Amino acid sequence: MPRPLWLGQPGRLSNISPMVAMGVLALLVLFVPVALATQGLVEPVADHLSPVSLAILDHVRHGQSFYPAAIDALRENDRALRPALLAIPLPALTVTLAVLPQFVGRLLMVALGLAVMASWLRRIAPVMSHRGPVLLAAILLAAGLYPLIDRAMVAVPEAWAGLLIALSLVQRRPEGSLSAIALGLAAMILSPMALLYGMVMLALAWRAKVRQETIGWMIALAVALLVLAAHAHALHDLVGTADPAMGSPIAILSPGHWVASLASIHAVGFLPMALVVPLTALAALGWANWRQALARRAGATILAYALVALLTGAPVMMLGLSPLFFLGVVFAPDAVRELIAAVRDRRRITVTRVVR
């Protein structure tokens, strides 16, 4: 194999067979026209989530209790109230922001975004061969974080949870995972959307046979489920059968619709879809190629949220992968080069029989 272009070591795709490499390239080439052909009108994720969250926060700041405020805000915005456990957010973020000055919440979110960016760049820089890819990584991270730290998203629990998940991933190290578990627990207390992240981390820790980390994630999930149970108990008598209900939980998105929804919560959404779709394919390929434990965990998390978002159409699931997904573009040049090298590999094994 030739020297890696940007990465300091060969990726996972460096040892695949020519047949597999041809199949991967064919899927990538096929994905682009299919996604472009199936795109349609998409409500931006931020426009769907922020009005209700801001309305709830405004009601609570004016002295109303959280649960009546949440129900009133959902009714004012013509949103479904059943099942209440999914329709009504957890109160932790709104109650906290309500007692703080408005600028403090915004500053905290910006600080969290900067911490995510600095932590990821600190982990990426040593594995890159020169500064150009690091600069591109900084641009892609900023593009993924900027929509989340927008003023309208400060009141959205899932935006905070997405940032905490990104920071938890990069904080996890073989020598210690307490900070990663604590950040994951904070995300799960803010939004049930983060429960999927906790389950993915528990599965990976159990598979790696890391006993302390496995126990830590089990405790974190147990605490988060207790919080969710208390939330369900508080909602028990507040929502009746006369309130509007959500539709079917299964709403499979087309590839184009999925890409457009993801782009709507990322700065790449300003680009035409003819560019966004290939970038999406390259980002997925890049994450699959990077040979690092961090990449394995981030890739598993992104895959889990991508599949759930694809099967349910839930906008909140897009926030679980939006901060980091397009960062995979940085690792894509090496992946494409290794695929092409594998396809062109024509090595043959010659067996010579010697008769004595």
Side-chain angles (χ1 to χ4, degrees):
M1 290 295 299
R3 271 188 72 186
L5 288 173
W6 287 0
L7 294 173
Q9 62 179 357
R12 291 196 185 98
L13 302 178
S14 58
N15 296 320
I16 63 175
S17 66
M19 188 66 68
V20 174
M22 290 178 63
V24 173
L25 285 174
L27 285 176
L28 290 175
V29 173
L30 181 64
F31 173 78
V32 175
V34 169
L36 289 174
T38 56
Q39 61 179 308
L41 294 177
V42 174
E43 181 185 14
V45 173
D47 292 349
H48 178 82
L49 297 175
S50 57
V52 174
S53 299
L54 289 172
I56 297 173
L57 179 59
D58 185 63
H59 285 308
V60 175
R61 277 185 172 145
H62 284 83
Q64 195 174 8
S65 298
F66 172 79
Y67 288 104
I71 293 173
D72 290 346
L74 286 167
R75 286 172 176 160
E76 290 167 5
N77 287 272
D78 297 322
R79 299 293 176 85
L81 287 168
R82 291 186 297 126
L85 195 60
L86 298 179
I88 299 175
L90 289 168
L93 177 66
T94 304
V95 173
T96 303
L97 292 178
V99 299
L100 297 174
Q102 294 187 21
F103 73 92
V104 174
R106 181 76 191 281
L107 286 178
L108 289 174
M109 197 170 200
V110 171
L112 180 58
L114 291 175
V116 172
M117 186 171 179
S119 299
W120 272 93
L121 289 177
R122 189 165 59 246
R123 294 290 293 273
I124 289 174
V127 303
M128 292 298 177
S129 58
H130 53 278
R131 294 182 180 179
V134 179
L135 178 60
L136 178 59
I139 294 171
L140 292 170
L141 280 169
L145 295 172
Y146 175 75
L148 292 184
I149 61 176
D150 182 71
R151 187 187 305 272
M153 297 294 286
V154 172
V156 178
E158 289 78 15
W160 290 80
L163 293 173
L164 288 169
I165 288 171
L167 187 58
S168 174
L169 278 168
V170 76
Q171 287 295 319
R172 191 267 175 190
R173 295 177 183 274
E175 61 271 15
S177 56
L178 182 60
S179 60
I181 295 172
L183 290 166
L185 175 58
M188 290 185 279
I189 290 175
L190 292 182
S191 172
M193 173 271 286
L195 289 171
L196 178 60
Y197 169 69
M199 289 186 284
V200 171
M201 291 300 103
L202 173 61
L204 291 176
W206 176 78
R207 184 180 178 184
K209 298 181 180 179
V210 184
R211 183 172 178 271
Q212 289 184 340
E213 186 179 359
T214 302
I215 294 173
W217 282 113
M218 290 175 65
I219 294 172
L221 280 167
V223 172
L225 290 174
L226 285 175
V227 171
L228 195 61
H231 180 58
H233 179 73
L235 291 170
H236 181 66
D237 296 324
L238 298 179
V239 178
T241 56
D243 290 306
M246 295 181 181
S248 172
I250 304 299
I252 300 177
L253 299 179
S254 65
H257 196 132
W258 183 87
V259 172
S261 297
L262 176 60
S264 73
I265 198 63
H266 197 284
V268 300
F270 294 108
L271 299 174
M273 285 294 289
L275 291 177
V276 173
V277 172
L279 286 176
T280 302
L282 289 174
L285 181 66
W287 279 116
N289 184 58
W290 190 21
R291 193 193 297 269
Q292 290 281 337
L294 173 60
R296 188 180 305 113
R297 289 174 172 267
T301 302
I302 289 171
L303 178 61
Y305 278 100
L307 288 176
V308 173
L310 185 66
L311 295 175
T312 65
V316 295
M317 291 300 170
M318 292 295 177
L319 297 177
L321 61 137
S322 64
L324 299 176
F325 181 83
F326 285 98
L327 180 61
V329 173
V330 177
F331 317 120
D334 287 270
V336 173
R337 187 185 191 189
E338 289 169 2
L339 283 177
I340 294 174
V343 170
R344 297 174 63 184
D345 187 5
R346 292 293 182 268
R347 289 175 294 179
R348 295 289 185 272
I349 298 176
T350 302
V351 179
T352 303
R353 186 172 61 182
V354 178
V355 180
R356 296 182 179 179

